[in-house]
Amino acid sequence: MKFGDFGEDYLGELAVYAEQHALLDALFHSEYGFQTLNRYTEFLQSHVEEYAFDMPEGASLLAPSFPFALAEGLLYMVFSRLEESLIKFCEASRTTFETPPYYDPYEGRNIRKSITYLTDTVGLTDLKSSHNKRLIFAWKTVGNCYIHNFWKVRSDFDRKSVRLVGLNLQDDDITLSVSDVTRCADVAYEFVHGVFDRLAGKAGLV
């Protein structure tokens, strides 16, 4: 499944149905976010090489790192789209199934807490063993290496996560490209749709 690749017609049709049910509204917002991300990614993939090798004179020092930095920023955007989507589904679940509020406002919200809410409170217990869930947290580990350790792995656990998502290591440095991040986006998108399918089935929408 290519993330956010259903097109504007699908998004427009979904917007009409979004008014009828909280879960469909959550799906609409998720699709909108991932389609926007898809268009941005396509732009980067078509221009990144041009930007990297046709930089102004005097900026050659930055050229080797430029595609790398774009990929890093895109990875954070994927996590943001995923987190927003899961939060929307948690909120829709609370409305649809009359479950308790899913987070303490003093502790905040994130991907892990949202998945825990969906599995333990809403009852989507099979998400715990989802392969895409494992991949998502492996990608999160990669992101943490970028944030906290200047692109380097910190432990054997980090190395296992890097291998699990199919990235390469060179002297403990993680190499990352825009194409790599599109694979992360595909995983996130498939996971979100899996959550919706389960919730829709539970609510009797399908």
Side-chain angles (χ1 to χ4, degrees):
M1 180 184 292
K2 180 70 168 63
F3 72 96
D5 199 27
F6 286 108
E8 291 184 12
D9 290 342
Y10 166 74
L11 196 63
E13 181 179 349
L14 187 59
V16 174
Y17 289 105
E19 299 179 2
Q20 301 178 15
H21 199 284
L23 288 174
L24 293 174
D25 182 67
L27 179 63
F28 168 75
H29 284 283
S30 176
E31 286 290 345
Y32 184 86
F34 273 102
Q35 282 205 27
T36 301
L37 181 63
N38 189 343
R39 301 301 177 266
Y40 178 63
T41 303
E42 288 176 348
F43 174 82
L44 287 183
Q45 288 179 311
S46 63
H47 292 82
V48 66
E49 205 168 282
E50 173 189 343
Y51 290 159
F53 298 105
D54 191 27
M55 299 186 74
E57 186 177 353
S60 58
L61 184 64
L62 299 176
S65 299
F66 194 70
F68 207 42
L70 286 177
E72 180 182 359
L74 183 61
L75 184 62
Y76 301 151
M77 291 178 67
V78 173
F79 293 148
S80 177
R81 296 289 82 78
L82 174 60
E83 183 173 306
E84 289 174 4
S85 295
L86 292 176
I87 287 171
K88 285 287 186 183
F89 282 123
C90 288
E91 291 173 344
S93 295
R94 183 172 62 84
T95 301
T96 302
F97 307 114
E98 298 182 347
T99 50
Y102 78 101
Y103 76 101
D104 184 331
Y106 297 102
E107 293 182 359
R109 303 172 284 187
N110 57 43
I111 291 171
R112 185 177 296 277
K113 289 179 182 178
S114 295
I115 293 176
T116 299
Y117 179 83
L118 291 166
T119 57
D120 294 354
T121 303
V122 180
L124 307 185
T125 54
D126 60 329
L127 285 179
K128 291 182 178 180
S129 58
S130 165
H131 179 61
N132 279 341
K133 177 195 165 190
R134 289 181 59 222
L135 289 175
I136 285 168
F137 285 117
W139 277 109
K140 285 290 291 180
T141 298
V142 170
N144 287 336
C145 290
Y146 272 71
I147 294 170
H148 301 297
N149 205 41
F150 304 102
W151 310 338
K152 290 183 178 291
V153 294
R154 303 158 296 181
S155 64
D156 287 339
F157 177 81
D158 291 349
R159 292 183 183 89
K160 289 178 182 178
S161 296
V162 169
R163 287 194 294 269
L164 180 61
V165 300
L167 296 179
N168 296 317
L169 282 174
Q170 185 173 3
D171 297 327
D172 283 343
D173 286 339
I174 305 171
T175 58
L176 187 70
S177 69
V178 170
S179 295
D180 291 325
V181 182
T182 61
R183 293 189 291 105
C184 176
D186 283 335
V187 170
Y189 189 68
E190 287 181 8
F191 185 78
V192 164
H193 266 264
V195 168
F196 172 77
D197 289 343
R198 289 167 173 82
L199 291 174
K202 187 178 178 70
L205 292 178
V206 293

